[in-house]
Amino acid sequence: MIVFITGASAGFGAEMARTFVKNGHQVVISARRSERLAELAAELGEAALPLELDVTDPASIADALAMLPQSWRQIDVLINNAGLALGTKPAQEAPLEDWETMIATNCAGLARMTRAILPAMVERGSGLVINLGSVAGHYPYPGGNVYGATKAFVEQFTLNLRADLAGTGVRATNLAPGLCGGTEFSNVRFKGDDAAAAKVYEGTTPLTAKDIAETAYWIATLPPHVNVNSIELMPTCQGFAPFNIKRV
């Protein structure tokens, strides 16, 4: 199969690329950071095709897809992995530009990529879209504000895709991880504050990018009549907290 992964220059995306290539599939690895893509492509060999692409830029998406060689254009699996969290300040203090960046990437970028690839899947009568959601899209927490809202969009968008795609042979899954370490996620969220990022995982055994990659691979290799609507993963060290109550 041919797999197209956004945000493939690091973290979940890079590990998913490794997993699919290791199992004999071709992978289009796309991201903004071309140097990182070149390094990953060198590691993975001819089964990986690097493609510089910014999901927040419609022209970048169109140009990148137009550059795909003919033999790579039948995308069997689209993994909308590109996304980010920025900050943990309460809503009344959070920078508006952080909100706008998360919405542009996690919502608009994901929707654009889906709309670009989906028609050909429907025409062929087969395909799979895996959208990277989060437990933050299901459960609110202080400081999660717009990040959690963007992941709630991912969940609802995926379920609505299922409503539209019934009977087409095209599948859609919301893959929603909980606490996951070993990636740039928290470093990006805390804008390079490595100490703050490390504190998130202090004393825990979080999920890993490999766990997420193996889950995505399992979903993609199920029989074509099986659709996983949504799958939520947490490490055993994570659970559910009491309601947030402020006392005076």
Side-chain angles (χ1 to χ4, degrees):
M1 70 176 81
I2 297 176
V3 183
F4 193 115
I5 303 174
T6 66
S9 60
F12 294 171
E15 198 58 44
M16 286 188 284
R18 292 184 182 101
T19 299
F20 279 95
V21 167
K22 180 182 69 178
N23 285 284
H25 305 288
Q26 295 172 265
V27 182
V28 180
I29 50 173
S30 71
R32 292 175 301 171
R33 295 180 291 187
S34 56
E35 327 78 47
R36 289 280 194 93
L37 288 178
E39 291 172 10
L40 183 60
E43 173 192 335
L44 298 179
E46 292 182 358
L49 178 70
L51 195 65
E52 188 174 349
L53 182 156
D54 181 352
V55 299
T56 68
D57 181 354
S60 174
I61 294 173
D63 291 346
L65 293 178
M67 289 171 59
L68 274 178
Q70 199 63 41
S71 60
W72 285 79
R73 293 193 175 189
Q74 185 173 308
I75 307 301
D76 298 295
V77 181
L78 168 63
I79 303 181
N80 282 313
N81 169 69
L84 76 168
L86 291 172
T88 56
K89 289 184 177 180
Q92 67 273 20
E93 298 174 15
L96 182 59
E97 56 267 30
D98 285 356
W99 286 8
E100 290 171 340
T101 299
M102 288 186 282
I103 292 167
T105 308
N106 302 357
C107 299
L110 180 146
R112 284 194 195 100
M113 283 302 305
T114 303
R115 184 60 182 80
I117 301 295
L118 192 61
M121 289 182 172
V122 173
E123 188 177 343
R124 291 195 311 270
S126 67
L128 167 65
V129 178
I130 297 177
N131 293 324
L132 262 293
S134 169
V135 295
H138 302 164
Y139 316 110
Y141 60 88
N145 45 69
V146 166
Y147 174 67
T150 65
K151 293 305 183 176
F153 169 87
V154 172
E155 178 180 33
Q156 195 62 21
F157 178 65
T158 307
L159 294 177
N160 277 282
L161 282 178
R162 282 301 312 134
D164 289 342
L165 294 171
T168 65
V170 180
R171 301 178 289 164
T173 297
N174 175 41
L175 171 50
L179 184 70
C180 191
T183 73
E184 297 176 342
F185 178 83
S186 288
N187 301 78
V188 171
R189 183 168 212 168
F190 291 105
K191 301 183 179 180
D193 186 339
D194 292 339
K199 197 164 182 61
V200 173
Y201 309 102
E202 201 172 85
T204 72
T205 304
L207 299 174
T208 67
K210 188 172 182 180
D211 297 327
I212 308 309
E214 289 178 349
T215 303
Y217 185 76
W218 172 74
I219 293 166
T221 53
L222 287 169
H225 69 283
V226 178
N227 192 93
V228 177
N229 298 329
S230 183
I231 184 166
E232 181 182 292
L233 298 84
M234 282 184 178
T236 54
C237 63
Q238 189 176 30
F240 301 95
F243 284 114
N244 183 26
I245 299 173
K246 295 293 185 184
R247 305 185 189 276
V248 295

